[in-house]
Amino acid sequence: MLLIIALSTFLLEQATAQHSYDVDRPLSEPSIFGRGVISTGDSESHPAFTPDGKTLYFLKNSPAFNFWTICVSHFHAGKWSAPEIAPFSGRYSDADPFITADGSKFFFISNRPAVKDESARDDMDIWMMSKEGSGWSPPVNAGPLLNSRGNEWYPTVAADGTLYFGSDREGGFGQTDIYRSRIVDGTYIKPENIGAPISTKADEYEPFIAPDQSFLLLMAIRPEGKGRSDLYLSYQRNGKWTSPVNLGDKINSPAAEYSPKISPDGRYFFWSSARTTIRPAQDKKLSLEQLTTMIRSPGNGLLDIYYINFSELSPPEERGIK
């Protein structure tokens, strides 16, 4: 499988290492991650692990998905700790955490003001932090070259520092397109729209770039999609991107899918889904207690974090990628 071969070039840790997301069985079907602690029945999404897999940053969202807060949990003694709001979050809408493969940088988006004591912004900007001891430096706005008057979404970074993100800035092919900014002499340069066939008249929001930039996973809203938003895969070949191909029914659902990510060791594919496991008719009459438990549990139609073996993503020849 071409995707597995590409992934093997940047595995950061040995496949035999034990991580917080390891399980003792193959994950051949979508599984809810951290049931009861991380995925609880509230709206949780957009996971980001530290390179050792022992700290997880993720979002807890308002049910209307209009206020997002970055939370953190730590893996200790074989279990995840009760999440806490990250020290830098909790006041403004903060979302889309991403930690670089070397653990030195933390990217996220926020509507917090760039100037102290100003009001919250009407749009989302990219913010950055650097590793400082056991924590992070104060967040710094990425500046007007990367950010625009529109929204910036889902920053992810390749091994050479190239930054990929979504934006609805003026001049795109659709309402929201995928952009990238390269580093020259240690500084990000003006972002470029990566163009067709990734950016189209439809909406492409959340790109996850492979560290070697050999492939791109993205969330998009396209007419041929299976749900409100779907996840797609594209390869970069000879400097050109292949047409994104839908990841199929195992990953996508009639509901919304978000935040494609790969675990730091390369073994698992993570994403967020609003799919529901609640059936429209029950086998028998429910008690109020049973009903309350069902509608307040993961799988109730609010966002949950899912994962699956990365090897379960279909080979490109079976997905029609050319």
Tab-separated table of all heavy atoms in Angstrom, residues 143-174:
chain	number	residue	atom	x	y	z
A	143	GLY	N	0.557	36.629	13.033
A	143	GLY	CA	0.832	37.842	12.288
A	143	GLY	C	0.036	37.986	11.006
A	143	GLY	O	-0.581	37.038	10.507
A	144	PRO	N	0.048	39.201	10.442
A	144	PRO	CA	-0.806	39.511	9.287
A	144	PRO	C	-0.394	38.826	7.991
A	144	PRO	O	-1.191	38.777	7.049
A	144	PRO	CB	-0.689	41.034	9.162
A	144	PRO	CG	0.627	41.362	9.806
A	144	PRO	CD	0.794	40.375	10.912
A	145	LEU	N	0.833	38.301	7.913
A	145	LEU	CA	1.217	37.610	6.694
A	145	LEU	C	0.511	36.260	6.589
A	145	LEU	O	0.042	35.870	5.513
A	145	LEU	CB	2.734	37.416	6.643
A	145	LEU	CG	3.295	36.973	5.285
A	145	LEU	CD1	3.041	38.040	4.223
A	145	LEU	CD2	4.790	36.680	5.390
A	146	LEU	N	0.403	35.542	7.716
A	146	LEU	CA	-0.287	34.254	7.725
A	146	LEU	C	-1.789	34.429	7.911
A	146	LEU	O	-2.587	33.735	7.279
A	146	LEU	CB	0.266	33.355	8.828
A	146	LEU	CG	1.681	32.819	8.648
A	146	LEU	CD1	2.064	31.927	9.825
A	146	LEU	CD2	1.810	32.034	7.347
A	147	ASN	N	-2.168	35.337	8.792
A	147	ASN	CA	-3.580	35.540	9.084
A	147	ASN	C	-4.186	36.588	8.153
A	147	ASN	O	-3.476	37.422	7.590
A	147	ASN	CB	-3.760	35.958	10.542
A	147	ASN	CG	-3.412	34.839	11.501
A	147	ASN	OD1	-3.856	33.704	11.323
A	147	ASN	ND2	-2.614	35.140	12.522
A	148	SER	N	-5.501	36.546	8.029
A	148	SER	CA	-6.204	37.446	7.116
A	148	SER	C	-7.395	38.058	7.837
A	148	SER	O	-7.630	37.811	9.014
A	148	SER	CB	-6.685	36.670	5.882
A	148	SER	OG	-7.732	35.770	6.241
A	149	ARG	N	-8.191	38.833	7.106
A	149	ARG	CA	-9.431	39.372	7.664
A	149	ARG	C	-10.501	38.296	7.766
A	149	ARG	O	-11.521	38.493	8.415
A	149	ARG	CB	-9.924	40.526	6.796
A	149	ARG	CG	-8.990	41.742	6.813
A	149	ARG	CD	-9.552	42.846	5.928
A	149	ARG	NE	-8.686	44.021	5.923
A	149	ARG	CZ	-8.898	45.114	5.200
A	149	ARG	NH1	-9.986	45.164	4.407
A	149	ARG	NH2	-8.069	46.130	5.248
A	150	GLY	N	-10.270	37.171	7.102
A	150	GLY	CA	-11.187	36.049	7.189
A	150	GLY	C	-10.746	35.070	8.265
A	150	GLY	O	-9.934	35.389	9.140
A	151	ASN	N	-11.282	33.865	8.188
A	151	ASN	CA	-10.960	32.826	9.158
A	151	ASN	C	-9.802	31.961	8.674
A	151	ASN	O	-9.709	31.654	7.478
A	151	ASN	CB	-12.177	31.918	9.387
A	151	ASN	CG	-13.315	32.645	10.069
A	151	ASN	OD1	-13.210	33.017	11.231
A	151	ASN	ND2	-14.411	32.845	9.345
A	152	GLU	N	-8.959	31.561	9.618
A	152	GLU	CA	-7.950	30.539	9.367
A	152	GLU	C	-8.332	29.307	10.189
A	152	GLU	O	-8.786	29.435	11.330
A	152	GLU	CB	-6.551	31.028	9.759
A	152	GLU	CG	-5.859	31.844	8.683
A	152	GLU	CD	-6.573	33.159	8.380
A	152	GLU	OE1	-6.789	33.959	9.297
A	152	GLU	OE2	-6.944	33.366	7.195
A	153	TRP	N	-8.149	28.130	9.581
A	153	TRP	CA	-8.556	26.882	10.215
A	153	TRP	C	-7.424	25.858	10.196
A	153	TRP	O	-6.641	25.788	9.254
A	153	TRP	CB	-9.759	26.256	9.484
A	153	TRP	CG	-10.935	27.144	9.263
A	153	TRP	CD1	-11.355	27.684	8.074
A	153	TRP	CD2	-11.889	27.602	10.243
A	153	TRP	NE1	-12.493	28.439	8.255
A	153	TRP	CE2	-12.840	28.407	9.582
A	153	TRP	CE3	-12.015	27.397	11.617
A	153	TRP	CZ2	-13.913	29.010	10.232
A	153	TRP	CZ3	-13.086	28.005	12.273
A	153	TRP	CH2	-14.013	28.787	11.589
A	154	TYR	N	-7.329	25.056	11.231
A	154	TYR	CA	-6.642	23.768	11.250
A	154	TYR	C	-5.193	23.816	10.734
A	154	TYR	O	-4.859	23.204	9.726
A	154	TYR	CB	-7.439	22.763	10.418
A	154	TYR	CG	-7.303	21.332	10.897
A	154	TYR	CD1	-7.894	20.931	12.079
A	154	TYR	CD2	-6.592	20.393	10.170
A	154	TYR	CE1	-7.787	19.623	12.519
A	154	TYR	CE2	-6.471	19.085	10.594
A	154	TYR	CZ	-7.076	18.693	11.775
A	154	TYR	OH	-6.966	17.399	12.203
A	155	PRO	N	-4.318	24.541	11.415
A	155	PRO	CA	-2.912	24.533	11.006
A	155	PRO	C	-2.237	23.196	11.305
A	155	PRO	O	-2.375	22.650	12.403
A	155	PRO	CB	-2.308	25.651	11.870
A	155	PRO	CG	-3.194	25.703	13.085
A	155	PRO	CD	-4.572	25.372	12.599
A	156	THR	N	-1.564	22.636	10.325
A	156	THR	CA	-0.709	21.463	10.530
A	156	THR	C	0.610	21.718	9.819
A	156	THR	O	0.672	22.481	8.845
A	156	THR	CB	-1.350	20.158	10.024
A	156	THR	OG1	-1.543	20.219	8.604
A	156	THR	CG2	-2.685	19.905	10.701
A	157	VAL	N	1.667	21.071	10.286
A	157	VAL	CA	3.018	21.440	9.870
A	157	VAL	C	3.786	20.209	9.413
A	157	VAL	O	3.805	19.176	10.093
A	157	VAL	CB	3.773	22.131	11.027
A	157	VAL	CG1	5.170	22.550	10.589
A	157	VAL	CG2	2.990	23.345	11.519
A	158	ALA	N	4.453	20.309	8.270
A	158	ALA	CA	5.311	19.252	7.756
A	158	ALA	C	6.663	19.275	8.469
A	158	ALA	O	6.988	20.202	9.209
A	158	ALA	CB	5.499	19.432	6.250
A	159	ALA	N	7.465	18.248	8.218
A	159	ALA	CA	8.760	18.122	8.893
A	159	ALA	C	9.694	19.283	8.579
A	159	ALA	O	10.519	19.669	9.421
A	159	ALA	CB	9.410	16.798	8.517
A	160	ASP	N	9.581	19.858	7.383
A	160	ASP	CA	10.458	20.978	7.029
A	160	ASP	C	9.896	22.324	7.478
A	160	ASP	O	10.446	23.372	7.144
A	160	ASP	CB	10.735	20.991	5.531
A	160	ASP	CG	9.496	21.320	4.687
A	160	ASP	OD1	8.398	21.490	5.262
A	160	ASP	OD2	9.633	21.402	3.446
A	161	GLY	N	8.796	22.297	8.235
A	161	GLY	CA	8.206	23.521	8.755
A	161	GLY	C	7.101	24.115	7.912
A	161	GLY	O	6.452	25.081	8.343
A	162	THR	N	6.865	23.583	6.708
A	162	THR	CA	5.810	24.129	5.859
A	162	THR	C	4.462	24.015	6.562
A	162	THR	O	4.094	22.949	7.054
A	162	THR	CB	5.759	23.401	4.505
A	162	THR	OG1	7.030	23.525	3.851
A	162	THR	CG2	4.690	24.013	3.609
A	163	LEU	N	3.747	25.125	6.600
A	163	LEU	CA	2.478	25.211	7.319
A	163	LEU	C	1.317	25.112	6.341
A	163	LEU	O	1.266	25.866	5.353
A	163	LEU	CB	2.410	26.536	8.075
A	163	LEU	CG	1.107	26.890	8.792
A	163	LEU	CD1	0.870	25.948	9.963
A	163	LEU	CD2	1.135	28.337	9.265
A	164	TYR	N	0.410	24.191	6.592
A	164	TYR	CA	-0.808	24.034	5.802
A	164	TYR	C	-2.002	24.439	6.666
A	164	TYR	O	-2.030	24.138	7.865
A	164	TYR	CB	-0.986	22.592	5.340
A	164	TYR	CG	-0.078	22.165	4.219
A	164	TYR	CD1	1.292	21.989	4.434
A	164	TYR	CD2	-0.572	21.916	2.939
A	164	TYR	CE1	2.133	21.586	3.413
A	164	TYR	CE2	0.261	21.505	1.910
A	164	TYR	CZ	1.616	21.348	2.151
A	164	TYR	OH	2.447	20.952	1.134
A	165	PHE	N	-2.994	25.087	6.066
A	165	PHE	CA	-4.179	25.489	6.814
A	165	PHE	C	-5.312	25.800	5.850
A	165	PHE	O	-5.106	25.969	4.641
A	165	PHE	CB	-3.881	26.701	7.710
A	165	PHE	CG	-3.424	27.935	6.968
A	165	PHE	CD1	-4.331	28.927	6.607
A	165	PHE	CD2	-2.089	28.115	6.640
A	165	PHE	CE1	-3.919	30.067	5.934
A	165	PHE	CE2	-1.658	29.249	5.958
A	165	PHE	CZ	-2.573	30.232	5.600
A	166	GLY	N	-6.525	25.882	6.385
A	166	GLY	CA	-7.677	26.311	5.604
A	166	GLY	C	-7.952	27.782	5.850
A	166	GLY	O	-7.650	28.312	6.918
A	167	SER	N	-8.547	28.458	4.882
A	167	SER	CA	-8.879	29.874	5.058
A	167	SER	C	-9.983	30.275	4.094
A	167	SER	O	-10.035	29.800	2.955
A	167	SER	CB	-7.649	30.758	4.823
A	167	SER	OG	-7.977	32.135	4.980
A	168	ASP	N	-10.852	31.177	4.584
A	168	ASP	CA	-11.874	31.738	3.703
A	168	ASP	C	-11.510	33.159	3.274
A	168	ASP	O	-12.378	33.963	2.949
A	168	ASP	CB	-13.252	31.700	4.354
A	168	ASP	CG	-13.343	32.519	5.646
A	168	ASP	OD1	-12.367	33.218	5.994
A	168	ASP	OD2	-14.405	32.464	6.305
A	169	ARG	N	-10.221	33.457	3.250
A	169	ARG	CA	-9.756	34.768	2.806
A	169	ARG	C	-10.181	35.048	1.374
A	169	ARG	O	-10.499	34.120	0.601
A	169	ARG	CB	-8.230	34.856	2.923
A	169	ARG	CG	-7.477	33.870	2.043
A	169	ARG	CD	-5.979	33.886	2.357
A	169	ARG	NE	-5.730	33.503	3.744
A	169	ARG	CZ	-4.574	33.740	4.373
A	169	ARG	NH1	-3.580	34.349	3.733
A	169	ARG	NH2	-4.411	33.356	5.623
A	170	GLU	N	-10.152	36.296	1.002
A	170	GLU	CA	-10.544	36.697	-0.344
A	170	GLU	C	-9.594	36.109	-1.386
A	170	GLU	O	-8.412	35.897	-1.125
A	170	GLU	CB	-10.544	38.224	-0.469
A	170	GLU	CG	-11.602	38.910	0.385
A	170	GLU	CD	-11.582	40.417	0.221
A	170	GLU	OE1	-10.695	40.921	-0.513
A	170	GLU	OE2	-12.446	41.097	0.812
A	171	GLY	N	-10.142	35.838	-2.581
A	171	GLY	CA	-9.313	35.397	-3.699
A	171	GLY	C	-9.231	33.909	-3.889
A	171	GLY	O	-8.457	33.442	-4.729
A	172	GLY	N	-10.031	33.131	-3.144
A	172	GLY	CA	-9.969	31.685	-3.271
A	172	GLY	C	-10.824	31.150	-4.399
A	172	GLY	O	-11.533	31.886	-5.085
A	173	PHE	N	-10.765	29.832	-4.574
A	173	PHE	CA	-11.575	29.171	-5.595
A	173	PHE	C	-13.005	28.972	-5.105
A	173	PHE	O	-13.952	29.012	-5.875
A	173	PHE	CB	-10.961	27.814	-5.958
A	173	PHE	CG	-9.640	27.925	-6.660
A	173	PHE	CD1	-8.458	27.980	-5.933
A	173	PHE	CD2	-9.578	27.972	-8.033
A	173	PHE	CE1	-7.238	28.077	-6.573
A	173	PHE	CE2	-8.359	28.072	-8.693
A	173	PHE	CZ	-7.177	28.129	-7.950
A	174	GLY	N	-13.153	28.701	-3.809
A	174	GLY	CA	-14.456	28.546	-3.183
A	174	GLY	C	-14.520	29.428	-1.950
A	174	GLY	O	-13.687	30.314	-1.758
